[in-house]
Each structure stands twice: as structure tokens, then as C-alpha cells.
Amino acid sequence: MQEIIVKNKKADIKKVELFGFKKCNKRYEYTTSFMNGDFTLLVKISENNKILTELTENETKEIYTLHLTDAEGNFIGQIRDEYNKVIEKIIKECFIYDVFKNNYTKKVISYIKDVYSDELEYLWEKFPDNAIARRKDNSKWYLIIMTVKKNKLGFDSDEKIEVIDIRADKNQIQELTEKPDIYPGYHMNKKNWITIILDGSIKIEEIYKFIDKSYALAKKS
């Protein structure tokens, strides 16, 4: 079987079942046909979020592998295109982003979803571990979550950490950044943004308050 590793995403079981996958032992399986029914594609999603596929030529009942090679030709190209369309659709409709691992980061993601019905947006293909949240009414950003090296915040370390950039009242920026564990906005206008490391140094309840303030400031701007 062909194995496909989906990076930075995980299968959402509800979406998987809604798509038409059926649970079989510890995997979910889905079958479809294309090329006027000449081929049947079996797709399996494993526990570790890998996609396994098996393409069968219905007339011969043989496993078809040419779509996985560099072979050329119009017919082979059509098979490869149809195959890729199915896989791309499954990834789009059945998988959700799973980039951030920190427990505090996950709490922030849940908070904006529960309170504001917002989902993170991953805007940069070159930076898949950066994401933003924006207001629905004016599309203004009020939150950015990033994975950065600690030395970007002045530490003598290359350790990667997850941080949140949020808006703050420009008249309070200096006072805020003089406090422990609050930093001038990384990669944003330091006159309007602050950065907090999502490591527990600041209680999550306080971070929620900062997010609420940032959300309100995004409306004003």
C-alpha cells in the first residue's frame, strides 16, 4: 500500500465519518471508484494519521502501481490526477491543523473558539507553525501564535518556544513590557503589540484577559 504522511494535521473523526469512512478495527476505511469505474481506490486512515491507499484495476483485479511511478503518458496522467484529487479532498475535508503542542497554546485555541467562534488561520506556507486569529466583522488580526527561538526574545538559547502576540493599549505598552514575562511585540509593531511565552509563566486566566482586550482593540483600529 502507498503511505502518505500528512504533516502538521490530524484526522478529525467526526469529519472522517461524515466524509464516508467506516471504522474497521483500529483504522477508518473508504472506497471510491474513478475513470468510469475502471479503478477502485481503497483509502485507510491509521491511528497515527497516516493515509494508506491501494488502487485496484477492476477488470484484472490487480493492484495498480503505475500512478505512483514517474511513468508518463496521457492515460497514466489521468489516473494520477484522479488519484491526487481524491487524496487532496480527503485531506481538506477530514483533517484539521495540529501544529501547536503546548498545553497553554491549546487552551488559547480552545478559548477563541468557544468565546469568539474563531479558528486559527495558517496563512504562510513557508511558516506552517505560525497562525493568526481575526475578527469576523473587520478582518483585523487580534492574535498571532508563533513558534520561535528563544533568542528572538533576548534569551541566550536556540530552544523553540510557542508565543502569542496580542494587541495592547499603546499607552500601556511600556508599563506592560517592564513586567516579568511580557515582551515587546515580536515581528509586529512594538507600539501596539506585546508578546507572551505560552509556558505557564503567566496564568492562563490573565492571558484570556489580554486576548479579550486585544479583540476589543482590533475593533477600534
Side-chain angles (χ1 to χ4, degrees):
M1 299 192 81
Q2 168 73 2
E3 179 181 282
I4 301 169
I5 299 175
V6 184
K7 295 182 179 180
N8 297 320
K9 288 188 175 184
K10 66 178 180 180
D12 183 307
I13 299 304
K14 289 184 179 179
K15 294 178 181 288
V16 166
E17 292 177 342
L18 186 62
F19 191 91
F21 280 83
K22 303 298 182 182
K23 190 170 185 179
C24 183
N25 296 322
K26 294 183 178 181
R27 296 176 176 175
Y28 282 84
E29 298 185 358
Y30 171 79
T31 303
T32 188
S33 60
F34 53 77
M35 299 292 286
N36 296 317
D38 291 339
F39 293 87
T40 295
L41 177 62
L42 171 63
V43 183
K44 299 181 180 181
I45 297 178
S46 64
E47 283 185 316
N48 55 4
N49 293 308
K50 291 181 180 178
I51 295 177
L52 305 172
T53 66
E54 184 175 272
L55 185 63
T56 303
E57 186 175 14
N58 292 331
E59 184 176 354
T60 63
K61 305 299 181 183
E62 294 181 354
I63 304 300
Y64 199 81
T65 59
L66 286 179
H67 69 299
L68 304 175
T69 73
D70 294 328
E72 299 297 334
N74 184 56
F75 183 67
I76 295 173
Q78 290 181 46
I79 297 173
R80 186 180 292 115
D81 288 344
E82 292 298 320
Y83 171 88
N84 288 335
K85 285 179 183 178
V86 173
I87 300 304
E88 289 169 4
K89 185 176 181 181
I90 288 172
I91 294 174
K92 181 179 180 180
E93 297 188 16
C94 299
F95 284 73
I96 58 176
Y97 281 97
D98 184 37
V99 175
F100 303 109
K101 309 303 180 184
N102 186 292
N103 186 47
Y104 260 49
T105 311
K106 291 181 180 294
K107 287 183 178 181
V108 167
I109 295 170
S110 295
Y111 183 78
I112 64 171
K113 183 176 182 179
D114 294 341
V115 176
Y116 301 112
S117 299
D118 288 333
E119 301 277 358
L120 289 181
E121 297 179 47
Y122 296 79
L123 304 179
W124 304 283
E125 185 175 348
K126 291 184 178 180
F127 303 98
D129 49 6
N130 294 345
I132 66 101
R134 70 175 94 208
R135 291 185 62 115
K136 294 184 179 68
D137 54 0
N138 61 9
S139 295
K140 295 288 186 180
W141 299 4
Y142 64 89
L143 175 156
I144 309 168
I145 298 177
M146 294 177 285
T147 303
V148 302
K149 293 182 178 180
K150 290 189 76 171
N151 58 24
K152 297 296 184 180
L153 299 180
F155 294 90
D156 185 19
S157 172
D158 286 336
E159 177 190 356
K160 287 189 175 182
I161 54 175
E162 293 173 9
V163 304
I164 182 173
D165 271 17
I166 38 184
R167 295 175 184 266
D169 190 320
K170 61 182 180 181
N171 296 318
Q172 298 178 336
I173 291 287
Q174 183 174 347
E175 178 184 352
L176 288 171
T177 54
E178 288 175 352
K179 295 181 178 180
D181 305 314
I182 298 180
Y183 307 87
Y186 171 72
H187 221 56
M188 297 298 290
N189 188 331
K190 292 176 173 54
K191 295 181 179 179
N192 299 294
W193 293 75
I194 59 174
T195 295
I196 296 173
I197 301 174
L198 295 169
D199 63 354
S201 55
I202 294 181
K203 293 182 178 180
I204 194 65
E205 291 77 15
E206 291 299 312
I207 294 176
Y208 292 159
K209 292 178 181 178
F210 279 120
I211 293 173
D212 294 339
K213 180 67 174 179
S214 182
Y215 188 86
L217 287 170
K219 174 66 173 180
K220 294 180 180 179
S221 66

